[in-house]
Amino acid sequence: MPPGPASAETALGSPLVERFGAFGETVFTTFSALAAQTGAINLGQGVPDGPGLPLAIEVAAGAMAQGRNQYPPLAGTPELLTAIAAHQRRFRGIELDPERAILVTVGATEAMAAAVTALCEPGDEVVVFEPCYDAYAPAVAMAQGVVRTVALEAPAYTFTDAALDAAISERTRLVVVNTPHNPTGRVFGRPELERIADRCRRHDLVCLVDEVYEHLIFEGAHLSMASLDAMAERTLSISSAAKTFSLTGWKIGWITGTPELISAVRTVKQYLTFAAGTPLQLGVAAALGTDDATYAAIADDLKVRRDLLCSGLRQLGLEVHLPAAGYFAMVDLTSVTDLDADTWCRALGREAGVIAIPGSAFAPSSGTHLARFAFCKGESVLAAALERLAAVDLSAIGR
Ligand code: PMP
Ligand code: GLN
């Protein structure tokens, strides 16, 4: 008998490994499908409806036409590595060796999964601030690690030292920080980052910082964890072209850190995807070098749309937690319903024709009265969504 599973039942009846069983389908897939089925305006998944930064598109299209269509080097094209190093110097005051301290990845998502896999042994613990982006826990599951959560308490979405200390143990290996933050739009300030950095230094932890919204800030300023005292040596910083340049379909991201940490991540990444997107990498390289006025215009334009959506939602009697950054606004539903957010958001799609994401997708226990609305959409789309919401009785949704 050839070696194999004991029975077809165990091999095929329930083929997904147990540690992944809880994840099912991503909330973005579920709610985008609901939008498509019902014809609802999709303020769920963070997908801009614009075409993306023209400069990036022109350069990528030119590169394709010139035949730059084969595998890039594993770490990324020299053009993009140089552009990322220049970006980190220009905006963060951080000097990086383009050949050893930077890795281009298939979006921030691959960077996160490769980093966690590279740095965690089975059973190692990873501290995550909750609510959090939905891809973090599965990345930890891939590495057979264990998630420990620190609550960010609404509406300020801050954390206490006691909660942070309680989440750290002998088995802690990594702390994942996302600033600016999805889903809340918070920009972590220096005192908060210092409190995290202090634990990382004391307990010898690596800090994995997701900065994909670094340029989409309306109030405050982005501070890189890697720029804090003695943190460069224990920080991996992740970013992406997706959000800044409205290029979510390109999946060009990157991770930066010490040559030792990057070498570890590269070892895993080479067998996940090897490398991807040569002409797209060239487009992103050009985009990163764009002038200050273009970066400022991207954030200013998004701020107009944030204000349009948030003031409109407030006029409808909803309690909006105004985001300082990013693509999304969190809304407290308690003023309109006592239904749980998942039930209410599904009903909202069907009955009002607008999709929002239930907060429980980002914080299963505490997000049940919150909903996340995306404003990375054209003004006419946002206005149409507000009109639809105004046309229904929000307290009757799902009844
Ligand atoms: N991190 C956060 C906080 C996000 O919101 C997203 C969604 N864009 C990602 C990572 C994934 O980025 P990418 O599309 O570059 O994989
Ligand atoms: N980052 C996007 C969001 O939070 C979704 C990305 C995805 O669909 N996986 O909406």
Side-chain angles (χ1 to χ4, degrees):
M1 276 256 299
S7 74
E9 177 63 26
T10 49
L12 300 173
S14 174
L16 184 64
V17 291
E18 203 183 316
R19 67 179 188 280
F20 248 76
F23 295 119
E25 182 175 79
T26 86
V27 72
F28 306 113
T29 306
T30 305
F31 278 83
S32 290
L34 190 60
Q37 271 163 28
T38 57
I41 296 174
N42 192 353
L43 304 187
Q45 191 179 26
V47 187
D49 51 8
L53 188 78
L55 171 66
I57 296 164
E58 276 162 35
V59 172
M64 278 183 208
Q66 285 157 23
R68 296 283 304 264
N69 297 311
Q70 309 311 326
Y71 293 131
L74 166 63
T77 61
E79 292 90 339
L80 183 51
L81 295 174
T82 305
I84 294 166
H87 173 277
Q88 293 304 90
R89 185 181 312 116
R90 171 177 167 197
F91 291 103
R92 313 284 163 238
I94 294 172
E95 283 297 329
L96 297 170
D97 175 351
E99 285 178 13
R100 296 163 69 229
I102 305 172
L103 198 55
V104 176
T105 54
V106 180
T109 309
E110 188 197 29
M112 181 64 61
V116 176
T117 303
L119 300 176
C120 286
E121 297 287 3
D124 278 354
E125 296 180 2
V126 178
V127 174
V128 165
F129 294 83
E130 200 177 82
C132 67
Y133 182 51
D134 78 324
Y136 298 164
V140 176
M142 283 181 221
Q144 299 187 49
V146 178
V147 171
R148 296 282 176 228
T149 55
V150 178
L152 295 174
E153 306 282 357
Y157 298 107
T158 52
F159 61 92
T160 63
D161 281 345
L164 179 55
D165 288 330
I168 295 172
S169 81
E170 294 278 285
R171 289 306 303 265
T172 309
R173 179 81 178 115
L174 280 175
V175 180
V176 178
V177 177
N178 172 211
T179 183
H181 186 256
N182 178 9
T184 68
R186 273 226 58 215
V187 180
F188 282 67
R190 182 180 288 276
E192 281 167 309
L193 294 182
E194 288 287 7
R195 285 158 60 205
I196 299 167
D198 169 58
R199 271 69 180 182
C200 291
R201 289 185 294 251
R202 268 199 280 141
H203 299 279
D204 194 22
L205 311 177
V206 173
C207 195
L208 194 51
V209 191
D210 178 342
E211 308 181 308
V212 302
Y213 299 98
E214 62 183 312
H215 288 290
L216 306 179
I217 300 197
F218 320 124
E219 281 97 31
H222 179 65
L223 181 62
S224 271
M225 182 66 94
S227 67
L228 300 192
D229 229 24
M231 284 305 288
E233 64 211 56
R234 57 177 68 256
T235 299
L236 279 165
S237 307
I238 293 174
S239 197
S240 168
K243 305 295 180 174
T244 303
F245 304 120
S246 292
L247 298 169
T248 59
W250 284 18
K251 296 296 288 189
I252 301 294
W254 52 90
I255 183 164
T256 58
T258 63
E260 294 72 24
L261 286 169
I262 289 299
S263 166
V265 181
R266 185 190 298 125
T267 303
V268 173
K269 187 260 186 298
Q270 65 190 338
Y271 299 115
L272 280 176
T273 54
F274 188 71
T278 304
L280 308 181
Q281 290 194 23
L282 300 173
V284 171
L288 283 174
T290 198
D291 53 26
D292 289 350
T294 303
Y295 276 103
I298 289 170
D300 289 349
D301 175 57
L302 193 57
K303 182 171 186 281
V304 170
R305 294 180 277 148
R306 175 201 67 168
D307 292 344
L308 174 67
L309 179 73
C310 292
S311 65
L313 293 175
R314 280 180 172 158
Q315 277 164 25
L316 297 173
L318 289 164
E319 186 189 327
V320 180
H321 300 157
L322 192 73
Y327 273 9
F328 312 107
M330 290 290 255
V331 169
D332 188 325
L333 301 175
T334 43
S335 62
V336 292
T337 188
D338 56 8
L339 293 177
D340 69 88
D342 190 74
T343 306
W344 192 83
C345 286
R346 285 173 193 269
L348 190 74
R350 288 190 306 269
E351 296 170 27
V354 175
I355 291 289
I357 300 286
S360 44
F362 311 102
S365 57
S366 61
T368 51
H369 63 291
L370 297 164
R372 191 195 79 174
F373 287 79
F375 49 81
C376 52
K377 305 288 177 182
E379 287 179 42
S380 60
V381 173
L382 296 174
L386 288 167
E387 250 172 56
R388 288 186 182 192
L389 293 173
V392 295
D393 175 358
L394 292 174
S395 64
I397 294 292
R399 301 291 177 189

